[in-house]
Amino acid sequence: MSPEVHNSNVDSGSVAGVTSDTGAGTLNDNIVDGDTAALIDDGSPAVAGTPVPGAPGAPGDEDSLDTARRERDEYLDMVRRVQADFENYKKRMQRQQTDLVERAGENLVARLLPALDAFDLARAHLSDEENASGGVKALLQAAGLVTDALAKDGLERIDDPGAPFDPTVHDAVEHAPAEDGAESGVVADVLRAGYRWKGRVIRPAMVRVRG
């Protein structure tokens, strides 16, 4: 009977030891679970008061925000410079196109000036336009239409007897003696009319200057 009692005691101790081990295992599990909860994504334990990367207000976020703002300002300045350069380019191209058109018109008008001179000579040789033939009248009317059309587009006639001599618009080819009391340095006669095109002298008037 005694050995059986001894075995019974051994079994009870074993059961008690197992129970004790089981309790210790439960305690250890609780500790492991608590440690796991205190871990962050990188596996380091969280320390109270330490900013977590990615959380609002972290130093890394402030630096990233400053960098983003600086890059934004740089990009905005670059866009403004590019836009200003493009606007200047458009204005320059518009001026160049306008100059080309005006130059082309000026060249065309300059080639028409001999025809206008011929009309002036024909009109000067007519003693009486009212009694002129039908053909002559038609020619003079055509000359008037051409002159009017060109004047609407910017052609100005320089034909100003009695005006002060101006070397920028007058070409003095003769000098007439100044009479007593007459003002000198003025245009006595216009021998051939001059012309401006859009405010630019394309041919000075050929004149006789008094004095």
Side-chain angles (χ1 to χ4, degrees), residues 53-71:
D61 287 349
E62 291 295 333
D63 294 340
S64 300
L65 185 58
D66 292 339
T67 301
R69 288 173 177 169
R70 185 169 60 255
E71 291 179 351

Side-chain angles (χ1 to χ4, degrees), residues 172-204:
V173 294
E174 292 183 13
H175 286 273
E179 299 177 358
D180 294 339
E183 184 180 0
S184 62
V186 298
V187 176
D189 297 300
V190 176
L191 306 178
R192 187 185 67 180
Y195 291 94
R196 293 188 186 93
W197 176 252
K198 296 184 182 298
R200 227 178 120 90
V201 177
I202 58 177
R203 192 183 73 181

Side-chain angles (χ1 to χ4, degrees), residues 50-89:
T50 301
V52 179
D61 287 349
E62 291 295 333
D63 294 340
S64 300
L65 185 58
D66 292 339
T67 301
R69 288 173 177 169
R70 185 169 60 255
E71 291 179 351
R72 178 203 61 188
D73 294 339
E74 292 176 356
Y75 289 145
L76 287 176
D77 291 339
M78 181 176 63
V79 169
R80 292 190 185 101
R81 287 195 299 269
V82 171
Q83 185 177 6
D85 292 340
F86 183 67
E87 291 296 330
N88 292 333
Y89 169 77

